[in-house]
Structures are given as structure tokens and as C-alpha cells.
Amino acid sequence: MPVEEFVAGWISGAAGLILGHPLDTVKVRLQTQNVYRGIVDCVIKTYQRESVLGFFKGMSFPICSVAVVNSVLFGTYSNSLLLLSSTSHQDRKAQPPNYGHIFVAGSIAGFVQAYCLAPFDLIKVRLQNQTEPRARPGVAPSHYRGPLHCARTILREEGPRGLFRGAWALVLRDTPSLGLYFLTYEGLSWWLTSDGSATMLVAGGFAGIISWVVATPLDVVKARMQMDGLKQQEYRGLLDCMVLWDPSERKFLLLVLSGSPSCNANHHDPRGKRGSNLESMLKGSAWETGRHQ
């Protein structure tokens, strides 16, 4: 990859992160904490307690790593597609897209990216979930003082494996969702025929929507597993996190369409109080889903 493309990818990725990080912080807090009634309530409480800076917690590591992560993602996708199709990028542009090759190449890229991203994403989520205001006299300090202190603390308290907590959920999230992303993007780009920024914007926008609809349930599981272990380990693994259910919250079994918490890693509820009855779990689920959107 030429240096110019690397720098351009870093600048564009950093700009996107700065614009999107406040909403990402709200999303992560809704997924992992049970103190908010919805999006607006989370925004108001975050601003009142932490000021505007609270929405940008955990942003430094993603900004530093976005160029590397994007290079891995698009480099793996391009090379995988080259191996699968045995044609160059210019030759592929002149032919109808092979959607099977595109999906497989995108899925491979998502799988590889997930393991490169896992430690950075874990640190980001831990920092985003710190709701303490900025340090001042008389206020208890945050558990983590910054990204490097967060990494050192995780290594000391949870070991090297702690940095990859929730990595399998991240892999299962990114593998199919990025396959769908590239599939939708390439398909719409070919269908819209005209080149230009408008085509790229429309194709990228729809691709992002479709991929996140698929990714959201496992994104919830990932965030809760990443927070698990901060105080005590509550989940035995990925499936355990997916099926644990708090009767007081009455949420969907698989956390589908969830922005609201059900197996909260910060909320201790003795395992003995949790039910596993599917019929009980589905009672009122439609009402709860509508109430929390």
C-alpha cells in the first residue's frame, strides 16, 4: 500500500472516529449498564456528570490504531479477492462482480481484523464505561487512568488472555457482517454504475446499515463479555452470556435489537436467581423491545 493511501486512510478513519465516538460511547453504555432508561437519558446523564469530554472517553487508542486496522482489513480483502478470482482490480471492474468471492473475501478480512482489533476494542470499551467525572479533590479516581494504564492493569489483574476477553464474540460479529458489508457495497457500486463520491456515499451508507443490523446482537454480547471480569467473572463463555437472563429485566433471549442491558457485566445478580425458561423469557418481549428502542 502506498504511503499516501496509508496516510489518507488514517486521516479519514480518524475523522470518522471523532464524529462517531460520542454515539459509540452511548451505545456501549446502553449495552453494558442498567442505569439508563434510553438513549436520551444516557446522553443527559453523561453530559451532566462528565461534561462533553465524557462522550470521548477511550478514543485515543482507536485513533492511533485505525490506520493499521484499516490496512489489515482492506489489504486482506483485496488479496483474498485476488486469490479467489485470479484477476486484478482493474479487470474485476470491467466484469460483473462475483458475489460469492466478494462475501468470502470480506468474511476472511473480518476474521483477520477482529483479532488485530480485539485488545484495542477491549480497552476502548473499558474506558467508555468509566462514568466517574474528571479527577478532582474529594472525588474517587477512576479505575483506569488512561489507555496504557488500562492495558497494564488488565495484564496484571487478568493476564494476557484478559486483553482478548470477548474476542470470539468480536470474530463472530465481524466475520459475517463485513462479508455482507463488502457484498452490499460492491453490488450497489456496480448497480449504480456511475463512478463518483455520491455513488460511494450511497453504497457505503447502505452497506453500513445492513452490516450493523447483522452485527448488533453479537456486539452486545461482545461488550458485556469485555466488561466481565472487571469486578468478578460472571460468564463462563460466549453461550453462557447469550442465555443468561435476569427476570427483573425481561429481555430477549439472544439480545436481538438490544441497546438495553440484560446480562449486565457491571450489575451483580447471583446466578441462582437467574432463570433459563424460554417461555418466561419470551413473555412480554415484544413490549420490552418496543419500549427500549
Side-chain angles (χ1 to χ4, degrees):
M1 174 182 289
V3 175
E4 294 84 356
E5 292 186 13
F6 183 85
V7 173
W10 179 79
I11 293 173
S12 61
L17 278 171
I18 292 170
L19 291 173
H21 196 82
L23 289 174
D24 186 66
T25 299
V26 173
K27 171 186 74 72
V28 167
R29 291 186 176 188
L30 288 172
Q31 288 173 335
T32 58
Q33 301 183 34
N34 64 347
V35 297
Y36 306 113
R37 295 190 300 271
I39 295 172
V40 175
D41 186 51
C42 180
V43 171
I44 291 172
K45 287 180 177 177
T46 299
Y47 178 76
Q48 289 176 340
R49 184 173 174 82
E50 306 163 58
S51 78
V52 174
L53 296 176
F55 295 101
F56 293 92
K57 288 182 175 179
M59 190 176 67
S60 57
F61 256 31
I63 283 183
C64 293
S65 63
V66 65
V68 176
V69 170
N70 283 347
S71 297
V72 170
L73 174 65
F74 290 102
T76 305
Y77 171 72
S78 179
N79 285 299
S80 297
L81 199 56
L82 180 62
L83 288 172
L84 289 167
S85 62
S86 300
T87 55
S88 67
H89 176 69
Q90 293 299 325
D91 292 337
R92 287 197 302 272
K93 288 186 68 175
Q95 304 171 3
N98 186 314
Y99 295 114
H101 289 169
I102 291 170
F103 179 78
V104 171
S107 297
I108 293 171
F111 180 87
V112 174
Q113 178 206 243
Y115 263 98
C116 297
L117 181 64
F120 299 106
D121 191 65
L122 174 75
I123 291 168
K124 175 188 76 73
V125 168
R126 291 280 179 96
L127 292 173
Q128 285 176 316
N129 271 291
Q130 293 194 141
T131 58
E132 297 85 1
R134 296 190 71 180
R136 59 178 182 265
V139 177
S142 301
H143 187 67
Y144 305 120
R145 296 192 297 270
L148 293 177
H149 180 257
C150 179
R152 289 196 302 267
T153 304
I154 292 171
L155 284 170
R156 184 178 67 250
E157 296 179 353
E158 305 172 44
R161 291 181 63 185
L163 286 173
F164 290 88
R165 190 180 297 277
W168 272 115
L170 183 61
V171 167
L172 292 175
R173 183 198 78 175
D174 282 359
T175 301
S177 65
L178 281 169
L180 282 173
Y181 176 88
F182 284 108
L183 181 66
T184 306
Y185 179 81
E186 298 283 6
L188 284 175
S189 296
W190 175 266
W191 182 68
L192 293 172
T193 64
S194 62
D195 292 328
S197 57
T199 297
M200 294 173 63
L201 183 65
V202 171
F206 276 103
I209 292 170
I210 292 172
S211 64
W212 267 108
V213 167
V214 173
T216 294
L218 279 165
D219 188 59
V220 179
V221 175
K222 172 197 71 71
R224 290 173 180 171
M225 290 190 70
Q226 287 172 327
M227 289 304 298
D228 192 33
L230 181 59
K231 294 182 179 179
Q232 66 176 41
Q233 189 165 343
E234 187 174 0
Y235 308 123
R236 293 191 299 268
L238 178 67
L239 292 177
D240 191 44
C241 180
M242 293 175 73
V243 301
L244 276 181
W245 173 64
D246 187 337
S248 66
E249 293 178 314
R250 299 166 67 193
K251 300 297 190 294
F252 260 107
L253 171 64
L254 296 178
L255 317 172
V256 176
L257 300 178
S258 173
S260 53
S262 65
C263 53
N264 177 21
N266 291 332
H267 171 63
H268 174 59
D269 187 5
R271 194 177 293 274
K273 292 184 180 179
R274 305 210 174 205
S276 58
N277 187 298
L278 178 58
E279 293 182 5
S280 297
M281 296 171 76
L282 294 178
K283 286 181 180 177
S285 59
W287 178 82
E288 285 289 342
T289 303
R291 187 169 72 92
H292 287 284
Q293 294 307 308

